[in-house]
Amino acid sequence: MRSVLAAAGALPARDERLVKLERWITAAISAREDPGERQILHGYAIWHHLRRLRQRPGTTHATHLQVVNVRCHVTAAASFLDWLAAQGLALSSCAQPDLDRWASGDITYRDETAHFVRWSVTHRHASRLTFGAVRWDGPRGPHDGEKRWDDARRLLHDDTLTTSDRVAGLLLLLYAQRIASIAKLTTGHIRDHGDRVEIMLGTAPVVLPEPLAGLVRELLATRPGHAAIGRPGTTPWLFPGGRPGQPIGEPRSYHPVPANNVMPVQEPGTKRARPLPYQPSANLDGFTFGSNGAVQAKLSFSNNGPHVSKASHFSVYNNVAPDVNIADYPNNFPGQYTIDPSPTIWNKTVPGSAEIGAGRGDGRYDLTIVGLNRFLRHFTGDVSAPGVTAQVTAAYYQGGFGPKPMLALKLTNSGKEAVTFTVTPNYYSKEPVRTYHVHAHGSATHVVDPLVSSNGWYDLSVTISGDDSWSRRYVGHLEDGKASITG
């Protein structure tokens, strides 16, 4: 809203990126529980990075890349302090072997962390630590000249591209301008003399050749900003951004239309993740049968753990029920459950249910429960099939809160015939498939330790003999109060 008012002239302009960065840094420092860590991060983030950013020459605002650079350095410092705390260390007690052990792992922000270590030694927060530089492994050979000219020819003559893309790309390829510099160009940098077009890229004007000159004229005439609020006709920016009165620069300001509408491929690898304050779990405990074909699946939800301090939300979907209309809200919509944290009672559960009877599956069920941090439960089967007497109960603790959570699947057969349960790891684990032959009215337990085998992540499926419709899937992450990685 303030950007709108500033663009309309009601409020003075200010450096919005710098203001947002200051708020982010304040939140990052406040999130530290240890006073000593807060003091260190305060000095590094505010008195080193933020002070230097405020003292940059001129009246130009902070660029997107400058803000990202500061955030990366502060994030790296906080992550390294988290790692030290997880090892029972402080920055002042960190020795060179500890730093080498950290550096030998799969780490993120290596160069930024090295800068933080050097700053810490200089300001006497640490001592006798050295962090070797990493040899540049990027391109070393000459640029591909032919590729550059092919790209330039396409930008000059391909009318299917937008004018702004063509002009920005040509300034990059032909005049070696940085993206940040191109984004900061204003209409004042362009001079149209009728017979020629000049652009100020330094202290002297540069005459633009055709057809680039014509593209720049077209851009000047057709450069409405992405924002329709304020006074877009008076914006000085050659490449207006999505926020009123601001130039383009944020990655979200521009999203080119894909050539084909396909799902993007997820970036490989993992990132470090902070410990989370919840531990969701859910089970299908059985069924209740009513009159006129009514059947309810009995569900239970929990959010238990010594490190749990926040509520956990679950959504229940009946995948075989007919589509619902918005007029049917809320009775026929998926169940929504918010479960309070239970840091003292290890086996606290909250009951729930899902109608799977007449008109809602007619006894055939396909239920999905989703929650925070990739939590998933998937239950399929038919109450008229043999699998109705087979049950799986997932638990993270047995008999109380232990030193750490583990995943235990209790496999119960309440029928009159023996059943073979098959437990199959889907992802994360390299353990083999396990089978359990459970006699009538018997049970068995399958236990895994995801914190040791897969950084807390688990994804298991369970099937039984004699009923192909019956299946259970369990996906999630175990929290032990320590940093982990993304799944």
Side-chain angles (χ1 to χ4, degrees):
M1 178 58 70
R2 194 188 190 284
S3 298
V4 174
L5 296 175
L11 290 177
R14 69 179 183 183
D15 192 338
E16 294 295 338
R17 287 197 182 98
L18 186 59
V19 171
K20 290 175 63 177
L21 178 63
E22 290 171 343
R23 292 173 180 168
W24 181 86
I25 288 177
T26 300
I29 295 173
S30 300
R32 312 301 303 183
E33 297 181 356
D34 184 86
E37 291 183 359
R38 282 201 301 270
Q39 181 181 3
I40 293 172
L41 201 60
H42 182 277
Y44 184 63
I46 293 180
W47 291 106
H48 180 73
H49 285 290
L50 204 55
R51 180 176 61 86
R52 294 180 63 187
L53 197 58
R54 288 169 176 157
Q55 291 178 344
R56 62 193 183 283
T59 59
T60 59
H61 291 178
T63 67
H64 172 66
L65 293 179
Q66 288 173 329
V67 170
V68 169
N69 179 63
V70 173
R71 291 186 61 152
C72 287
H73 278 80
V74 176
T75 301
S79 297
F80 185 62
L81 292 175
D82 286 340
W83 182 86
L84 289 174
Q87 308 302 311
L89 299 171
L91 187 60
S92 58
S93 62
C94 179
Q96 188 64 42
D98 301 319
L99 181 60
D100 294 339
R101 180 158 51 92
W102 174 87
S104 64
D106 183 13
I107 58 177
T108 310
Y109 300 125
R110 182 186 183 92
D111 293 339
E112 291 83 356
T113 306
H115 181 272
F116 173 65
V117 170
R118 291 191 292 270
W119 176 89
S120 300
V121 172
T122 301
H123 290 79
R124 299 182 181 180
H125 297 298
S127 61
R128 299 181 180 180
L129 295 181
T130 59
F131 200 116
V134 179
R135 181 176 180 178
W136 165 252
D137 58 356
R140 296 183 179 86
H143 293 291
D144 188 344
E146 285 302 318
K147 177 66 166 58
R148 173 170 168 262
W149 287 115
D150 287 342
D151 292 340
R153 280 189 287 268
R154 185 191 174 202
L155 292 170
L156 286 169
H157 304 294
D158 190 346
D159 295 334
T160 64
L161 301 175
T162 63
T163 305
S164 58
D165 287 351
R166 297 170 71 183
V167 172
L170 289 167
L171 291 176
L172 172 69
L173 291 172
L174 303 181
Y175 296 92
Q177 296 299 296
R178 296 182 298 114
I179 297 297
S181 300
I182 296 173
K184 291 292 186 179
L185 289 175
T186 68
T187 55
H189 290 92
I190 307 298
R191 300 175 184 175
D192 189 352
H193 300 284
D195 60 336
R196 70 186 189 279
V197 176
E198 297 177 345
I199 184 171
M200 295 291 295
L201 299 178
T203 57
V206 177
V207 178
L208 298 177
E210 293 291 350
L212 177 56
L215 292 173
V216 171
R217 287 193 180 99
E218 181 181 343
L219 179 61
L220 287 172
T222 61
R223 59 178 184 91
H226 298 158
I229 303 176
R231 297 182 295 173
T234 61
T235 180
W237 304 109
L238 191 61
F239 301 95
R243 296 171 65 92
Q246 298 296 318
I248 196 170
E250 303 283 350
R252 60 179 178 269
S253 297
Y254 171 64
H255 299 281
V257 178
N260 52 353
N261 191 18
V262 297
M263 185 69 70
V265 178
Q266 180 175 334
E267 179 184 358
T270 60
K271 301 291 184 182
R272 288 181 59 81
R274 293 181 180 274
L276 298 179
Y278 38 76
Q279 185 66 87
S281 186
N283 285 299
L284 172 57
D285 298 328
F287 308 93
T288 57
F289 299 87
S291 59
N292 301 319
V295 182
Q296 278 198 338
K298 296 189 297 182
L299 307 173
S300 61
F301 305 91
S302 64
N303 184 25
N304 308 331
H307 307 287
V308 171
S309 60
K310 301 295 182 182
S312 184
H313 186 78
F314 301 84
S315 297
V316 182
Y317 297 90
N318 185 345
N319 301 314
V320 297
D323 293 336
V324 293
N325 189 283
I326 190 64
D328 299 325
Y329 181 85
N331 293 333
N332 293 332
F333 266 62
Q336 305 292 325
Y337 297 86
T338 300
I339 309 303
D340 289 333
S342 176
T344 57
I345 303 176
W346 69 273
N347 58 351
K348 179 182 178 181
T349 60
V350 175
S353 63
E355 180 61 45
I356 61 171
R360 306 289 295 173
D362 300 319
R364 183 172 61 91
Y365 60 92
D366 184 339
L367 301 175
T368 299
I369 304 175
V370 294
L372 300 167
N373 199 28
R374 297 194 67 184
F375 175 86
L376 172 72
R377 297 290 188 262
H378 188 206
F379 310 126
T380 68
D382 192 324
V383 296
S384 62
V388 70
T389 59
Q391 182 178 331
V392 180
T393 303
Y396 300 144
Y397 296 96
Q398 301 292 321
F401 291 136
K404 66 176 181 178
M406 300 177 69
L407 177 62
L409 301 179
K410 185 179 180 180
L411 316 172
T412 302
N413 174 21
S414 59
K416 298 179 181 180
E417 303 291 336
V419 173
T420 299
F421 290 81
T422 301
V423 182
T424 304
N426 297 314
Y427 299 100
Y428 306 121
S429 175
K430 296 182 180 179
E431 292 189 2
V433 175
R434 305 284 186 183
T435 58
Y436 298 86
H437 188 71
V438 181
H439 295 287
H441 305 290
S443 65
T445 303
H446 177 80
V447 180
V448 293
D449 190 354
L451 287 170
V452 171
S453 62
S454 50
N455 295 285
W457 292 98
Y458 64 88
D459 184 348
L460 304 172
S461 292
V462 184
T463 56
I464 61 172
S465 60
D467 188 350
D468 292 338
S469 70
W470 191 99
S471 70
R472 304 289 187 263
R473 187 177 180 185
Y474 301 85
V475 183
H477 183 263
L478 298 186
E479 298 291 336
D480 61 349
K482 299 178 182 179
S484 181
I485 64 171
T486 57

